[in-house]
Amino acid sequence: METAPTSIPPRPRAALVFGVANDHSLAWFIARALAAEGVRVGLSYGDERLERRVRPLAESIDSPLVIRCDVSNEAALAETFAAADTALGPRLDMLVHSVAFATREDLTSPFSETSRNGFGRALDVSAYSLLALVRHAGPRLGPGSSVLTLTYLGAERVVSGYKVMGPAKAALESCVRGLAEELGPRGVRVNAVSAGPVRTLAAAGVPGFRTLLDGHAERAPLRRNVTGEEVAAAACFLLSDRASAVTGEILHVDGGYNILGV
Ligand code: NAP
């Protein structure tokens, strides 16, 4: 008697997304889009006051993990990845870093008056944390895994009001290239989306954000602002096998704003 060929169902892909504060967060748009593609998505948030906002979002996408993690705290990172092992399994197909921080004082003072501590904190939370996430993820990232972070034009050009976040994002973009070179031989890709301005909690902390948003819509080649969904679509592309030959890339999703000169 012939037996039917057995086929092993494909393992659902697993993603861990850092930086969900609320339903406006770019991390949330990305998490929701990944979940819609059948990815099992674990969510991490930074501040305990946000839990009541994040839990219902997690439930709406059947997220198997919702965990608070301060990305500047090594013990919290270790706990988060241990929890991910239980909730998502031992392999991470996708790791999303959507985290940034600068003190209000440093965002409102003249750039040259950025405090030494504030500069260090902004670079630690906004840039170094990408290295920390990858280090803690360790062998959970294997051939075909993909890491993604979010950056902004202020890394490359002077954007008035972006202050210390400019050097923080420049460092982040440099980390993307360094990690892409290091992890490439393991088959792990590392990329960034450089998003145009989108109204979120973090964006609200940038002085003059409203003016930035209006100016962008007026001058960008597409003559409009970008949406969270559009940022997420590009992020999902970079995270997916469709971008299997893309690494170390900073993909601008900004309606073309970055190409403009005078
Ligand atoms: P958001 O919703 O406020 O997300 C920023 C996230 O960073 C929050 O969830 C915040 O959590 C988290 N965070 C800050 N410090 C943290 C820490 N120590 N540990 C863990 N998490 C921490 O704003 P967003 O605009 O979506 O920002 C996401 C990323 O996109 C950032 O890297 C931002 O620079 C980038 N980006 C945004 C825009 C834009 O216009 N919105 C454009 C380009 C790039 P807590 O609030 O709980 O601390």
Side-chain angles (χ1 to χ4, degrees), residues 19-21 25-27 46-47 50 69-72 98-101 121 125 150-152 162 169 195-198 200-203 209:
V20 181
S25 295
L26 296 180
D47 189 314
L50 294 173
C69 178
D70 175 353
V71 297
S72 62
S98 186
V99 171
F101 176 81
R121 179 98 181 114
V125 174
L150 275 301
T151 184
Y152 176 60
Y162 206 52
K169 290 300 192 192
V198 178
T200 62
L201 262 188
F209 182 74

Side-chain angles (χ1 to χ4, degrees), residues 125-149:
V125 174
S126 313
Y128 178 77
S129 60
L130 180 67
L131 301 191
L133 290 195
V134 165
R135 180 161 41 78
H136 279 271
R140 296 172 183 92
L141 298 172
S145 294
S146 181
V147 179
L148 182 99
T149 187

